């Protein structure tokens, strides 16, 4: 397979990027994920952050009131990111190495999200 035939993150990432505010409730985040049929939302902060279905599940399991708790209270910060020109196999290795399921795709700014589901769909 020549380098021109290899699939990159840009080929499989989800767009448009779905985001949410740090001030939104965890319930609002869960509702947005369900509505969009996705499992993570980018939170535009510095350092970079996301809220995933796992973060929501952890909040519920910890007994938090998700109608009152804010995204900022449960989001995952300092998230790893991927460049759009990375090969899918490289992203698969990153997901495995870091034990994560989502990588925001960044090219100066956020441009999309790549998930383990995107990678698995391509590699299978």
């Amino acid at each position: 397979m020549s380098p021109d035939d290899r699939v990159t993150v840009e080929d499989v990432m989800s767009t448009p990027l779905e985001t949410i505010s740090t001030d939104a409730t965890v319930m609002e985040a869960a509702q947005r994920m369900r509505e969009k049929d996705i499992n993570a939302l980018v939170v535009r902060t510095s350092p970079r952050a996301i809220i995933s279905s796992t973060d929501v599940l952890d909040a519920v399991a910890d007994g938090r009131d998700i109608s009152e708790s804010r995204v900022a209270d449960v989001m995952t910060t300092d998230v790893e990111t991927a460049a759009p020109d990375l090969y899918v196999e490289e992203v698969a290795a990153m997901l495995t190495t870091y034990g994560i399921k989502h990588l925001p795709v960044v090219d100066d700014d956020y441009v999309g999200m790549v998930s383990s589901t995107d990678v698995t769909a391509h590699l299978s």
Side-chain angles (χ1 to χ4, degrees):
M1 179 182 291
S2 76
D4 293 337
D5 296 334
R6 292 182 68 191
V7 176
T8 64
V9 168
E10 187 171 27
D11 298 324
V12 300
M13 70 184 184
S14 299
T15 59
L17 183 67
E18 297 295 333
T19 64
I20 196 156
S21 162
T22 55
D23 294 332
T25 65
V26 175
M27 183 176 289
E28 289 170 326
Q31 290 168 335
R32 172 104 41 91
M33 284 186 255
R34 182 177 62 188
E35 173 188 313
K36 300 292 184 178
D37 195 27
I38 57 176
N39 290 304
L41 299 164
V42 166
V43 186
R44 291 187 177 270
T45 62
S46 183
R48 298 185 194 280
I50 66 172
I51 182 168
S52 69
S53 54
T54 302
D55 296 323
V56 174
L57 184 62
D58 288 346
V60 170
D62 289 344
R64 290 178 182 253
D65 179 350
I66 63 168
S67 64
E68 296 293 324
S69 294
R70 301 288 168 201
V71 166
D73 300 329
V74 302
M75 66 188 186
T76 300
T77 58
D78 275 337
V79 296
E80 297 295 330
T81 61
D85 59 351
L86 279 179
Y87 294 120
V88 169
E89 296 83 0
E90 294 172 297
V91 169
M94 288 176 71
L95 293 170
T96 301
T97 298
Y98 296 119
I100 56 177
K101 296 177 186 163
H102 301 89
L103 282 169
V105 182
V106 177
D107 187 12
D108 290 327
D109 195 9
Y110 291 106
V111 294
M113 179 83 78
V114 65
S115 71
S116 56
T117 305
D118 300 325
V119 172
T120 302
H122 168 70
L123 296 177
S124 60

